[in-house]
Every structure is written in structure tokens, then in C-alpha cells.
Amino acid sequence: MITLEKVSFTYRSGQRALQDIDLNLEGGDFIAIMGENGAGKTTLAKHLNGLLKPSQGRVLVDGDDTRKVSVARLSRKVGLVFQNPDHLLFSETVKDEVAFGLKNFGFAPEVVHNQVIRTLEALGLSEYAETSPFLLSGGERKRVALAAILATEPDYLILDEPTIGQDYQQKERLRNFILQLYSQGKAVVMITHDVEFVAESNPKVILLSQGRIVAQGPADSVLSKDELVKKASLVRPQMSRLFGELTKYGLPSDVVDVHRARILLEEKLSEAKVRVAQNS
Amino acid sequence: MSLRTLEGFKFSTLKTPVHLLDPRTKFLIVIAVLVPALLFANIYVMIALLLSQLPLLLVGKVARRWALSLRAGVFLSGLIFVVNLFTGSYLSAIALTLRFLVLLTSFSLFFMTTSPDDLGLALDRIGAVRWLSRRWLGYPNALSFTFTTAVRLVPTLAVDAQTVVDAQRSRGLELDKGNLLKRVRNYIPILIPLLLIAIRRSLELAEALESRGFPGKEGRTSLFQLKLRPADYAIIALSLAMIAVSFWVYFHYKIPVL
């Protein structure tokens, strides 16, 4: 379990990035952190594996205070995937890139080999195993970066803007992948601006604004509230905007995902069909 | 450590009298300090030159950052001192170490109080720079632009460097682990992404510039014009006098180390 207790953080420049953040993260959790640019999302993520230490309060990873344990040790449990893959790719082949973290953590060569092959397969990158990561497209590089972290099988996975530059099919794959991970008992935290992606995945949403948590709860209740969403410089997902206009037909306003929308609309339409049949 | 060293050369956006001086004036100050510092290896001269820059550091409100750059220079100063101990007397070693600090201070003062924009404008007004630029690159203001861009990219690259270090540490890289050879090798995962980011960024910059019509035609004017004010003239006169006196003394007297 990762616990943040009254965490505040001020950069050396004097900029206050986080204020009084309380947060619990357990296996099986799926959390989306959303908020405007500069709200403190990435700063928060960097606290989870000890890259940044809180100015006030403390962060505990499985009981260890991040101030007392090295980043390398924390990173075995907490995998942080950075937003821009160009900040971490450096190897000659995709295979080597994915193996880097495993080697750093001291796994035996055959474990490294098996783990690399398994991870590349899971992310649909097997055909690029011997390719240079720099020859890949932006979206593919991003997946290599994800594979590099996933290969070490962290208990907590933190993804910074995972959907940027991914086409819809890849996003769908990513969603299934995340679903698989947290149903296996891992914790997944996703930092994103992508409301539609969040709406469809229905995680717990934490809205961050100016370094403070302004709202948290299930995606459908948070993302369907105009005043909350505006605070975080977002817009409501399309389904929510549609259902917001349909309340006069007795439909609920907190619908954000296609699946629930379909069920509700089907009900309404078949009722209407029955009524038409009765009238004629 | 290495990143903090750069702080001492980074421009600070303040509006102090020192910042408002014309960049050409400030560069002349650098030369006026450089000339006596290089002509004489005398301890008193060095101390005087160091002290003469203090008021400018204080008025320019950059004294604290200057202290940072000094702290970074401690290692090099030590090296210079030790090397010169072997080749000369301890007095000349002190003088040469002080000379290094004088040079460090004057350049640090110049870069901390001169915005890259002003520097570019000033360079663009220098005939020799325009001539060279036309010879090498085909356009009169391409060279000064290159220089300004290089200066400007330093802080951006520093931020990138920090992110790369963070990203690799998150993958279990421990920079200060292992023997000397291992430690040097530890920097490969830092340097390669950084190099590629720099290359990629310069290609993007080139395309962005081209799509906006860079470098334009010969008679390009600029939005901001540099203008020398009375304070500039006074300092220019003082600096020129200092340079002249330095040369005069150099050719007429022999100045000992102490």
C-alpha cells in the first residue's frame, strides 16, 4: 500500500506544487489523476517512487518512508512510466531497452530473457525486438517505454499521459491491458487529460487543481459535474454532454460511458416502441 | 552539482540599472577587466579587479547566484593552484588562481545580467559578425541567431537533463554506484537521450524557422532597437580609459607578483 499523509511540496524556486495531499493506493485500485496543466499531477507521480521527497508530510510505500529508501529500491515496486519516451530510450534494440531495468534490478539472464519476450508479446512489440527504438513511430516508442517498466512487474504502475499519440485501437488495447493488471491485484495510477478514455474505463477519479485535491470519486459522478470539470480545465465527456440534455426524458445525467448509455437508451427506446404499438 | 553551476551563467529577468545597460557596454566592461587581468599577474591587481566588480554584482542583485558559480569553481581553482605550485612560486599560484576567479566573475556577471535577446541584437550590430555570417552561412544575421539560440537552449536542456536522470533512476539506474569505469558507463543512458533530444529539437527548430521565412532579406529591421544612454557612455569611457592605462603601464613598468 502507498500512503500519502498530508503531503506538501514546494520547488526550490518557491513554487508550491502540492498542498495537503492525502491519498491511499492499494492493489486492485485503478485511479485517474486529472487536472489542468501545472496542477501538480507529475509532481505527485514523482513522489510515489521517491524521485521527489515531500517538503511536509510523508509518503509510505509498503510501510517504508520514501525519504529513507533509495529510488532504485522503490522502483522495484513502483513503476513510473514517463510521459515522453524520448527521455528514457537509449539502447540499440528494443529488446535491450526492455532488459535494462531488469538487469539493473539484478535478475538472472534467463529471467531477463523470458520476461523481455513475454512483455514484448503482451504489448504487440515482438516484431520490433531487434529494431532500434529510434526507428519506431512516436506511438510505438511510447509502448516500448511502457514495456521497459512493465517488464519488471511492479506492484504499482504509474502512467503519465499514456494515451498521447496512440490511435483508438491502441487506446482500446491499453485499456484492456490496464484492466488485466488491476484485476490481477496490481494498482494502476494514470495521469491524463483524456476525458473520453477515463469515461470509458471508469476508474476512481482524483481531480487536482493548483496542487490540491478538489474532488474524488467514481468517474461517472465526478466527470458529469460541470463545475468540478471546469475547475480542472476539462470538458465533460461526450456521453455526459448528451445525457445532460436528455434529463427531460427521465434519463439520469451522470452517464459518461457508451456501455451504460446503450443500456439506458435501449430501455427507453423499447418502452417507446411498446407505447407506439399500443397506440396504433 | 553540474546543473547548479549553470545557474551562475543563467540570465535573470530583473530590471536593475546593471540589467538596463547596453549589452555592448557590458561586454566592454568584461574586456576592461580581462585586459589588466591577463596583462598583470599581480595579487593586488587581481584583488582590486575582483572588488571592482562587487558593486555591479550587488546593484544587479546577482551576488547570491555569483556565489553559487564560485562554489562550482572551487574545484577548478584548486586544480589551477596545485598545478601552478609545481611550475612557479606559491605567490604566482595565488595570483593565477585569483585571475581565474576574476575571469569567472566577469563572464558570470555579463551572462547573468544580459538577456539572450539583447545579446543577439548587439551581435547583429557588429559588422564583423554580419560579414562572417554572410561568408559562412549566406545570411548576415544567421550567425548571431545561432549564438542566441545556443545560449537560450541551455536552461531548456538543463530541465531535460533532470527529467532524463529521473526517468533512468525510475528504471533502477544508480549513478553513483560501482567503480570509476562503471560510474562513467552509468552516464551513457543519460547522455544518449539528451543528445537525441537536442538533435531532434534543433531539426524541429529549423523547420519552424523555415516555415516562418527565416532568415529573411538583407535589410531586416528589429522590433527592439539598442540605444546607448548617458550611463552607457560614462561606463564606456571609463572602460576604455582602464584598457588604455593598463597597456600604458604594461609597456612602461614591470609589475611584480606581489
Side-chain angles (χ1 to χ4, degrees), chain B residues 108-176:
Chain B
S108 153
L109 175 69
F110 178 76
F111 282 108
M112 282 192 293
T113 58
T114 310
S115 86
D117 296 313
D118 282 357
L119 197 57
L121 280 179
L123 275 174
D124 222 26
R125 295 283 291 273
I126 299 171
V129 173
R130 295 177 71 86
W131 181 81
L132 263 183
S133 178
R134 204 180 285 119
R135 281 293 299 274
W136 286 349
L137 304 165
Y139 299 98
N141 43 35
L143 195 61
S144 59
F145 182 84
T146 309
F147 180 78
T148 325
T149 313
V151 173
R152 172 166 297 171
L153 278 183
V154 170
T156 322
L157 266 181
V159 172
D160 277 321
Q162 188 59 54
T163 312
V164 172
V165 170
D166 282 350
Q168 305 300 32
R169 285 178 74 201
S170 302
R171 296 167 79 189
L173 178 71
E174 287 176 283
L175 284 175
D176 42 9

Side-chain angles (χ1 to χ4, degrees), chain A residues 49 71 86-88 97 104, chain B residues 160 168-171 200:
Chain A
N49 72 346
V71 175
D86 296 341
H87 281 131
L88 57 101
E97 195 67 64
N104 282 335
Chain B
D160 277 321
Q168 305 300 32
R169 285 178 74 201
S170 302
R171 296 167 79 189
R200 204 169 273 150

Side-chain angles (χ1 to χ4, degrees), chain A residues 44-225:
Chain A
L44 180 59
K46 285 185 180 172
H47 273 80
L48 299 176
N49 72 346
L51 281 173
L52 294 176
K53 322 279 186 202
S55 315
Q56 277 147 43
R58 58 180 188 160
V59 180
L60 301 173
V61 177
D62 292 342
D64 291 329
D65 192 323
T66 55
R67 263 185 282 243
K68 292 178 185 126
V69 187
S70 74
V71 175
R73 241 187 79 190
L74 289 169
S75 299
R76 282 213 55 176
K77 292 180 190 162
V78 187
L80 175 55
V81 184
F82 277 63
Q83 183 174 345
N84 185 350
D86 296 341
H87 281 131
L88 57 101
L89 300 182
F90 73 97
S91 304
E92 274 176 61
T93 64
V94 168
K95 212 174 70 187
D96 291 346
E97 195 67 64
V98 177
F100 178 70
L102 292 160
K103 283 182 190 157
N104 282 335
F105 293 141
F107 285 96
E110 62 274 11
V111 179
V112 174
H113 181 76
N114 292 338
Q115 211 41 37
V116 168
I117 288 181
R118 254 178 51 192
T119 316
L120 288 180
E121 211 156 276
L123 283 168
L125 290 166
S126 300
E127 53 176 316
Y128 302 124
E130 301 294 337
T131 315
S132 161
F134 303 109
L135 295 177
L136 301 178
S137 74
E140 286 160 347
R141 285 208 297 273
K142 212 160 160 90
R143 264 185 290 149
V144 175
L146 176 62
I149 301 295
L150 271 179
T152 63
E153 298 196 320
D155 296 331
Y156 309 92
L157 184 66
I158 325 292
L159 306 166
D160 197 347
E161 297 281 8
T163 59
I164 285 185
Q166 301 290 332
D167 59 39
Y168 279 94
Q169 268 184 24
Q170 289 304 339
K171 281 193 196 183
E172 206 53 44
R173 246 198 237 178
L174 181 69
R175 187 196 339 280
N176 288 331
F177 206 77
I178 292 173
L179 188 87
Q180 216 180 321
L181 285 172
Y182 75 80
S183 49
Q184 281 167 8
K186 311 211 171 219
V188 181
V189 176
M190 168 171 84
I191 291 169
T192 185
H193 284 115
D194 192 336
V195 251
E196 298 301 337
F197 187 81
V198 173
E200 291 308 317
S201 329
N202 209 13
K204 178 183 172 189
V205 172
I206 292 181
L207 278 190
L208 219 56
S209 180
Q210 296 177 358
R212 289 176 184 278
I213 294 180
V214 290
Q216 51 184 317
D220 48 9
S221 70
V222 174
L223 290 184
S224 57
K225 293 204 177 61

